[in-house]
Amino acid sequence: MLDYAIYRIAVLLPTLLAVSLAVFLVLHLVPGDPARNAAGPDAEEEDIALIREHYGLDQPLWKQYGTYLVRLSQGDLGESFRSRRPVLDEIMRRLPATMELAGFAMLLAVLVGVGMGVAASMKPNSWVDDAIGALSAFGISVPVFFLGLLLMLLFAARLQWLPPSGRGSWANLVLPVVTLGLPYVATFARVTRSTMLEVLSEDYIRTARAKGLMRRTVIWRHALINAAIPLVTLLGVYFGRLLGGAVIVETIFAWPGLGRYMVDGIIQRDLQVVQGCILFFATAIVVVNLVVDLLYSVLDPRIARG
Amino acid sequence: MTLAFKRRSLLAATFAAATLPAGAAQAASDTLTFIEGSDFDTLDPAISRTRSAEILMTLMFQRLVRWKDTSLSGIEGDLAASWSTSADGLRWTFRLKPGVRFHDGSAVDAEAVKFNFDRLRDPRLGSPNRSLFTVITDIQVADAETITLTSGAPVAGMLEILCESSASISSPAAVQRFGRNYGRNPVGSGPYKFEEWTPGERSVLAGASPSARFRRIIYRPVPEAEARVIELESGNADIATSIPPEATARVRANPRLKLVVIPSSFQVFFELNHKRPPFDNPRLCRAINHAIDQQAIVDRILGGFGSVPDAPVAPGVQSYQAQAPYRFDPDFAKREFAAAFPGGFNETLVMWTCSGRYLKDQQVAEAVQGYLNAIGLKTEFRVWEWASYQQTLYRRQQGGTGFGSSAAHMWVLGTSIPTADWRLSRRLVTGQSANLGGYSNPRIDALLNGARTELDPDRRMEAYHEANRILWAEEPPNLFLYNQKQIIATQRGIDNFDAFAFEVPLLNEVTKA
């Protein structure tokens, strides 16, 4: 188990190095002059040249990457062209908002999704199952921006129960979290249902039932634990997608998170910001997947041994 | 059933309770909540380039001088009590109002003003606004209330430069104390002082002088246009800007809201490439302006929220004078092309546009393509993403595309610059930095360069008027498309809303019932 963990952590560094190189190259090959964007459309050539020099954008590419790596090793993600502030500071400032959003959306997906999946698997083909099936089909297929505006129109403009956008009280959280989480609620419900149906037909479940265990114990202790592995896998895979979805949700609901910061950075060609954000997201996804892999071996010790 | 009902109303009540504090605070008449599409990156006036930041900087800072009103009819003292110019026009001496203090308590004196201009001109700061201020070659402080700015040549537009928001005077003590973090901790001497800024969420200014009409002004960036309208509908905001034309009917139908439409200095046009046929011929530059129906574009594509250009600059730009609009006459345009090219113009016109940068830019460009095809011109159309578009248009190298060496015949651009010199000279004087179409006209060069050093305001304005007449009726540099309008929605109780044509509102003038 320990060896496995150490091995996995050791692989982390080259992975992130490769990510940093890829991000760097892609961003520098994308058309658009960052210095001109920083200076604005009405700027003089002289001012633009000054900015180019200030940020080393006139240096050869390999040199820029070298400087970038050296700084990175010191925990410095560079400075935003527009705000002239350290990118890491700016990321840290916005991180809580994104974590709050993604965390609660994930929690919603797991609790409600798994609950719905279990409920549906209890009585397959009943009206409960059908209703949950319909709801999850809706959740998977409705585009996030549409759902977001729909919820906003209904709960904020029409009923006026919830604030339409922004961050502040917990009421502000409801709409963005539901918007972001709903597709994953649906996915989790579907996966839970099918895995549960499979597990429930296994021999050991029949044995457990035959022993006279309570239904609840059979479902939660015996069946769900065994159905958990594909769910944990999903958790790892979807964490990345959830962060991607957060970019859209943050824009719709004026949520002051990292996703919006990155999108603004892309539009403005604020290289250091985009670079920093992508590297940050990549690190987060790699780390979450590491944790998920390690969790497997807790859930199923055969994985670490094999 | 009753239980379910009770639960539901309980839920509703909880939601209501949770939203109440925010709603109640914003309903108070001493707090103004203002919503815009974009956030800013810094509130340091020296390095900021964003209009959204300018809205707040106008409230927090003072400059030496400022525009008297939103029609730019004149300039009045802000920090300066009076000023005078030396006979040769090289030295501007300002007397500061005594006793003015920054919000941190330090004095706004001549040294503080000098500190700000020195900082702006310092290449180490790398300010994108620097070149505006490099015309100032020397700064002398005579005493605490007297400062003299010297330039190498007379600068007729000196006061206009000093009206720019980048010329705002920051507290030197705060700049030194916060260093790189000054943009997050701005300290000025305006009617409002900076209180807090959570990027992407909100900024709060607090009233700091008796002239402040509100105890608090809250600025919230809400990027999604639809969400801005909903914020108003749900009573969460007092004023929201950049309302999309398609949402205006809903605002008008809502008895609690009202719509305010104000002219913008934004004019959108196809810039023409004057270095290659057909637009190296001024006659065809005029002809093409007859080929499109601008009124139809304004009515059908912009939903009426624009106006047909009647001058090479929009109303609200210094030196604007209305002239006779181009009449829509495609047959005339066709005849003009036939006269210039007896065998027909057989090249394909390459048209470029950006998408989403200006109001309905791509749709308008597509309509123009239709009009040009209708007079028998072959066209090719390309849509660009803004950053690559900009880079391509400004590329200077041979074989690149800027400055008349462009691969395109015409490309969509817009500008909102309100001062005559900056707006016209950079785009139209031969060889200037933003003269992308390679426009070169000795009369225009003489008029605009002359106006730069003409210290008599009337004679200077006359030169601009004459230039505008030539640029409109004789040798137009552009195919003029439309003038934008600012569409703003407010709660019914909001009155006196006014904004500069360059889309900076005067929030302290607003009244709230």
Side-chain angles (χ1 to χ4, degrees), chain B residues 290-291 327-338 374-375:
Chain B
H290 286 286
R327 73 176 188 286
F328 174 48
D329 189 346
D331 292 330
F332 172 75
K334 209 171 177 173
R335 283 199 303 277
E336 290 286 282
F337 268 87
I375 62 163

Side-chain angles (χ1 to χ4, degrees), chain B residues 12-308:
Chain B
T14 328
F15 279 145
T19 49
L20 200 64
Q26 271 141 29
S29 64
D30 61 355
T31 301
L32 187 75
T33 305
F34 177 80
I35 293 191
E36 253 261 331
S38 55
D39 202 11
F40 27 80
D41 307 294
T42 173
L43 287 171
D44 178 349
I47 58 172
S48 171
R49 293 278 338 176
T50 46
R51 192 183 41 81
S52 44
E54 195 176 335
I55 297 171
L56 295 191
M57 293 188 306
T58 303
L59 296 164
M60 286 187 289
F61 290 95
Q62 287 180 285
R63 306 155 220 193
L64 280 179
V65 290
R66 65 178 175 204
W67 292 107
K68 209 180 273 172
D69 49 42
T70 53
S71 54
L72 312 188
S73 68
I75 288 171
E76 64 184 13
D78 194 1
L79 284 170
S82 64
W83 58 88
S84 59
T85 323
S86 64
D88 57 4
L90 297 181
R91 285 192 310 280
W92 294 76
T93 302
F94 295 86
R95 299 238 2 124
L96 303 184
K97 291 175 189 164
V100 182
R101 300 211 159 256
F102 289 111
H103 300 139
D104 62 4
S106 56
V108 186
D109 54 16
E111 283 297 344
V113 175
K114 178 177 183 333
F115 174 90
N116 276 272
F117 291 137
D118 283 344
R119 177 167 181 255
L120 261 171
R121 295 184 305 145
D122 186 350
R124 279 172 303 174
L125 180 69
S127 164
N129 307 308
R130 179 172 175 264
S131 61
L132 263 180
F133 297 91
T134 46
V135 293
I136 302 171
T137 50
D138 185 47
I139 303 173
Q140 292 294 332
V141 171
D143 57 59
E145 282 161 24
T146 313
I147 183 166
T148 302
L149 309 179
T150 307
S151 58
V155 182
M158 181 66 91
L159 293 179
E160 289 152 25
I161 293 172
L162 299 177
C163 283
E164 288 290 323
S165 88
S166 47
S168 298
I169 304 300
S170 291
S171 155
V175 170
Q176 277 155 350
R177 183 150 73 95
F178 292 111
R180 281 219 289 185
N181 286 326
Y182 177 67
R184 280 207 185 296
N185 301 278
V187 178
S189 56
Y192 291 82
K193 65 171 199 252
F194 174 77
E195 195 166 273
E196 62 163 273
W197 170 24
T198 313
E201 191 177 327
R202 60 197 223 140
S203 312
V204 182
L205 305 187
S209 87
S211 64
R213 204 163 252 177
F214 297 97
R215 199 169 54 85
R216 280 209 158 69
I217 292 184
I218 299 172
Y219 176 100
R220 285 190 46 211
V222 177
E224 181 62 37
E226 189 62 28
R228 286 199 292 279
V229 178
I230 294 176
E231 288 283 356
L232 278 179
E233 286 173 336
S234 57
N236 267 317
D238 297 308
I239 304 169
T241 60
S242 307
I243 302 297
E246 50 276 16
T248 51
R250 228 169 81 212
V251 174
R252 282 210 173 103
N254 190 327
R256 290 184 297 126
L257 302 182
K258 66 182 178 191
L259 203 65
V260 183
V261 181
I262 299 178
S264 160
S265 56
F266 229 110
Q267 188 173 69
V268 177
F269 42 82
F270 260 108
E271 201 157 57
L272 303 174
N273 188 340
H274 300 274
K275 291 280 193 206
R276 53 192 287 189
F279 303 121
D280 54 350
N281 180 352
R283 186 173 169 186
L284 297 180
C285 297
R286 288 196 303 270
I288 199 172
N289 274 291
H290 286 286
I292 62 164
D293 186 352
Q294 283 120 328
Q295 192 64 53
I297 288 175
V298 167
D299 290 344
R300 310 235 174 89
I301 303 178
L302 306 182
F305 292 100
S307 64
V308 172

Side-chain angles (χ1 to χ4, degrees), chain A residues 8 21 29 66 93 97 104 157 166 168 175 180 184 228 262 274 277:
Chain A
R8 287 300 309 262
L21 181 63
L29 295 177
R93 219 170 229 277
F104 278 109
L175 291 181
L180 183 60
Y184 304 99
M262 184 166 81
V274 184
C277 286

Side-chain angles (χ1 to χ4, degrees), chain A residues 196-215:
Chain A
M196 279 297 282
L197 283 178
E198 212 172 284
V199 172
L200 284 174
S201 64
E202 295 278 345
D203 288 345
Y204 60 83
I205 297 292
R206 200 175 336 136
T207 311
R209 279 201 183 134
K211 278 197 300 190
L213 288 180
M214 281 203 309
R215 197 175 132 89

Side-chain angles (χ1 to χ4, degrees), chain A residues 134-207:
Chain A
L135 195 71
S136 55
F138 174 78
I140 288 173
S141 49
V142 67
V144 173
F145 65 89
F146 178 69
L147 178 68
L149 287 177
L150 208 66
L151 292 176
M152 200 190 286
L153 217 50
L154 179 64
F155 290 102
R158 189 58 63 87
L159 298 172
Q160 307 213 347
W161 288 358
L162 293 165
S165 69
R167 183 168 175 242
S169 70
W170 65 268
N172 284 96
L173 252 172
V174 178
L175 291 181
V177 163
V178 171
T179 307
L180 183 60
L182 194 67
Y184 304 99
V185 168
T187 317
F188 274 91
R190 289 174 87 102
V191 173
T192 308
R193 177 184 178 275
S194 59
T195 346
M196 279 297 282
L197 283 178
E198 212 172 284
V199 172
L200 284 174
S201 64
E202 295 278 345
D203 288 345
Y204 60 83
I205 297 292
R206 200 175 336 136
T207 311

Side-chain angles (χ1 to χ4, degrees), chain A residues 20-296:
Chain A
S20 81
L21 181 63
V23 170
F24 181 86
L25 284 180
V26 167
L27 285 180
H28 281 80
L29 295 177
V30 165
D33 179 349
R36 178 169 292 284
N37 263 286
D42 303 311
E44 288 283 7
E45 286 307 318
E46 189 195 332
D47 296 328
I48 296 166
L50 206 65
I51 290 174
R52 205 169 281 136
E53 198 184 324
H54 194 86
Y55 288 100
L57 292 166
D58 49 353
Q59 302 285 320
L61 214 53
W62 62 269
K63 217 170 169 181
Q64 289 188 43
Y65 182 63
T67 320
Y68 178 62
L69 274 191
V70 170
R71 289 215 186 119
L72 207 57
S73 66
Q74 297 156 352
D76 180 358
L77 288 181
E79 186 184 289
S80 155
F81 294 159
R82 296 166 302 156
S83 74
R84 310 289 170 99
R85 298 198 66 256
V87 171
L88 190 63
D89 275 18
E90 301 273 330
I91 287 179
M92 284 320 195
R93 219 170 229 277
R94 289 167 173 86
L95 186 63
T98 296
M99 290 321 285
E100 194 176 287
L101 187 62
F104 278 109
M106 212 57 181
L107 200 68
L108 180 81
V110 172
L111 293 184
V112 179
V114 170
M116 273 169 46
V118 171
S121 69
M122 303 297 298
K123 288 191 180 138
N125 304 322
S126 67
W127 68 268
V128 179
D129 187 18
D130 288 346
I132 289 173
L135 195 71
S136 55
F138 174 78
I140 288 173
S141 49
V142 67
V144 173
F145 65 89
F146 178 69
L147 178 68
L149 287 177
L150 208 66
L151 292 176
M152 200 190 286
L153 217 50
L154 179 64
F155 290 102
R158 189 58 63 87
L159 298 172
Q160 307 213 347
W161 288 358
L162 293 165
S165 69
R167 183 168 175 242
S169 70
W170 65 268
N172 284 96
L173 252 172
V174 178
L175 291 181
V177 163
V178 171
T179 307
L180 183 60
L182 194 67
Y184 304 99
V185 168
T187 317
F188 274 91
R190 289 174 87 102
V191 173
T192 308
R193 177 184 178 275
S194 59
T195 346
M196 279 297 282
L197 283 178
E198 212 172 284
V199 172
L200 284 174
S201 64
E202 295 278 345
D203 288 345
Y204 60 83
I205 297 292
R206 200 175 336 136
T207 311
R209 279 201 183 134
K211 278 197 300 190
L213 288 180
M214 281 203 309
R215 197 175 132 89
R216 195 194 301 159
T217 319
V218 174
I219 299 285
W220 295 110
R221 294 280 299 278
H222 292 243
L224 193 58
I225 289 292
N226 281 293
I229 287 229
L231 293 179
V232 171
T233 314
L234 269 190
L235 212 67
V237 174
Y238 282 141
F239 179 71
R241 279 207 209 166
L242 199 76
L243 289 180
V247 172
I248 302 171
V249 172
E250 283 175 7
T251 303
I252 301 174
F253 290 100
W255 192 262
L258 265 186
R260 233 173 104 199
Y261 184 52
M262 184 166 81
V263 170
D264 286 349
I266 292 172
I267 295 171
Q268 304 287 337
R269 292 291 189 278
D270 201 336
L271 285 188
Q272 313 287 348
V273 168
V274 184
Q275 222 158 264
C277 286
I278 296 183
L279 201 63
F280 190 86
F281 279 135
T283 311
I285 290 169
V286 170
V287 169
V288 165
N289 277 288
L290 172 72
V291 172
V292 164
D293 284 355
L294 295 179
L295 258 182
Y296 284 164

